[in-house]
Amino acid sequence: MKTSRGAMPEENRERRPKERAFPLVGQHREWLNSLDGVGLKWGEPLRRHTTFKVGGPVACLATPENPETLEALVRGFYRRKIPWVILGGGSNVLPPDDPWDVVAIQLTSACADLSILPTPSTEGGGHGIILVHAGAGVPLSAFLRFCVHEELGGAEFLAGIPGTVGGALQMNAGAFGGAISDILRWIELMDDKGRRQSLSRKELAFSYRSMGLTSGQIILGAALEMRPKGAQRIKMDMRSNVALRRKTQPHGVFSAGCVFKNPEGHAAGALIEKAGLKGAGVGGARVCAKHANYILNTGSATARDILQLMERVENTVMERFGIRLEREVRVWRATPKPGEKGFF
């Protein structure tokens, strides 16, 4: 995957003039290229990796092969003061349109374990809890297929949610009255110095759409509490959940799911609809007519269009109802606002 050795692919030859857009990361190019076990793509457009299908190029997209390589990478970033961001399934982020002088790290190889833990894990005569270890880079769809194959229930509420296990943990994803924190036993983390630790569910300050983690903590994986359940019953419940989603939410479109958290006592989509914003647009971005808490890229939207539409929705709802909507989608900025900590 490294492109600095041997013949250079045509697309990378085309990108070479853009290297000056990444002066910070670019000065460490030789060190990054010297690392074994790390796939690198220089000047990679983020639109290829987000469900909004927007985003300009990052200095480098790095894919470490295993946790040890990830640790070495993060330690090196800390010593060299290289900014970085974790990029999961790209289903809950809005990256900048402009070139972004950071390294985006993907965990699809480094944190890909999906297994039943070999430690004693059943209680109550074989009808109790079974612990499944799921790496942060595992797609939620793959995790759910594993649950069906192993006949393990408890995570059916995640059916239809895009992204990875790590992203679901970061945002405490949930639906139909359930959240991933409900089935969490412990979570594995790495800090921005490459140090690892595990935290039990009781040690986490999780809440609605938040696991309560601090900036700079990388989720490596988690142990999830599952229970024996027939494969056909699991499939039936997941199909029911997906069918309900499709009745109320758009599918087959470029979006990042629900844009705003539900304020206490209210549904964000209902507030946006009552504010008369269904179908409102900026450039190629539109508020969804089917579910007003979705913003769609109709095909030509930029990240700037989407952000401006988000801000319009926030301001209108505040003016009409005195309620400040809190974003569920994470906005990544090429230049952080004062007080923003890092790019994590």
Side-chain angles (χ1 to χ4, degrees):
M1 293 177 67
K2 294 181 182 180
T3 61
S4 60
R5 299 170 182 171
M8 182 177 294
E10 182 65 29
E11 63 171 343
N12 279 357
R13 280 202 293 270
E14 293 174 357
R15 289 187 188 130
R16 284 300 293 270
K18 299 179 183 179
E19 288 181 15
R20 58 174 154 260
F22 311 114
L24 200 161
V25 176
Q27 65 182 305
H28 302 285
R29 187 182 182 108
E30 184 176 351
W31 169 71
L32 281 163
N33 284 330
S34 72
L35 297 175
D36 291 325
V38 182
L40 303 174
K41 291 183 179 180
W42 293 92
E44 179 71 5
L46 286 177
R47 66 177 179 274
R48 298 177 180 174
H49 303 275
T50 63
T51 57
F52 261 139
K53 298 302 179 185
V54 298
V58 286
C60 184
L61 180 70
T63 309
E65 292 181 355
N66 52 56
E68 292 71 31
T69 308
L70 172 64
E71 180 180 331
L73 193 65
V74 172
R75 287 181 184 274
F77 288 166
Y78 179 77
R79 290 194 301 270
R80 292 169 173 79
K81 302 189 186 318
I82 300 174
W84 51 270
V85 64
I86 296 294
L87 176 63
S91 61
N92 204 43
V93 296
L94 181 65
D97 294 311
D98 299 325
W100 199 17
D101 202 0
V102 302
V103 177
I105 305 173
Q106 290 187 317
L107 303 179
T108 48
S109 298
C111 302
D113 179 59
L114 193 53
S115 60
I116 295 175
L117 292 177
T119 55
S121 54
T122 57
E123 302 167 7
H127 298 287
I129 294 171
I130 296 175
L131 292 181
V132 171
H133 182 265
V138 174
L140 282 176
S141 57
F143 167 65
L144 291 173
R145 287 195 299 271
F146 177 86
C147 291
V148 170
H149 182 267
E150 298 296 332
E151 298 192 311
L152 297 173
E156 292 85 344
F157 62 88
L158 294 172
I161 297 177
T164 61
V165 169
L169 288 164
Q170 180 72 48
M171 298 303 298
N172 194 13
F176 308 111
I180 200 165
S181 58
D182 297 337
I183 60 173
L184 180 66
R185 174 68 66 90
W186 44 260
I187 192 169
E188 299 167 299
L189 303 169
M190 180 182 291
D191 69 13
D192 59 359
K193 299 179 181 65
R195 299 175 300 196
R196 304 187 210 185
Q197 69 174 141
S198 294
L199 295 178
S200 69
R201 184 178 186 274
K202 294 180 180 179
E203 295 176 290
L204 293 165
F206 58 84
S207 59
Y208 170 64
R209 297 298 174 265
S210 173
M211 198 56 75
L213 301 175
T214 60
S215 177
Q217 288 182 299
I218 303 172
I219 297 173
L220 303 178
L224 302 173
E225 297 180 349
M226 311 298 292
R227 294 180 182 275
K229 185 176 179 179
Q232 292 306 313
R233 180 62 184 275
I234 296 172
K235 288 181 182 179
M236 182 176 67
D237 289 346
M238 288 197 300
R239 285 174 186 149
S240 176
N241 289 342
V242 170
L244 183 57
R245 281 181 176 279
R246 293 194 171 184
K247 284 182 180 179
T248 59
Q249 301 172 1
H251 63 280
V253 295
F254 299 149
S255 77
C258 288
V259 175
F260 301 102
K261 299 178 182 180
N262 290 322
E264 188 172 356
H266 300 274
L271 290 171
I272 298 167
E273 182 175 358
K274 289 177 183 177
L277 291 168
K278 268 192 173 182
V282 174
R286 291 287 182 277
V287 174
C288 180
K290 187 172 186 179
H291 192 311
N293 199 14
Y294 279 66
I295 288 178
L296 310 181
N297 176 1
T298 61
S300 61
T302 63
R304 193 171 290 107
D305 292 339
I306 295 168
L307 181 57
Q308 288 178 357
L309 186 53
M310 288 170 62
E311 291 170 345
R312 178 179 170 187
V313 168
E314 292 165 347
N315 293 336
T316 304
V317 169
M318 185 64 185
E319 291 170 2
R320 289 286 304 276
F321 308 112
I323 297 174
R324 187 174 301 281
L325 293 176
E326 185 178 351
R327 295 172 185 174
E328 187 168 326
V329 169
R330 297 195 166 196
V331 177
W332 287 343
R333 302 176 187 274
T335 303
K337 286 184 175 180
E340 284 186 335
K341 184 181 179 183
F343 298 100
F344 308 107

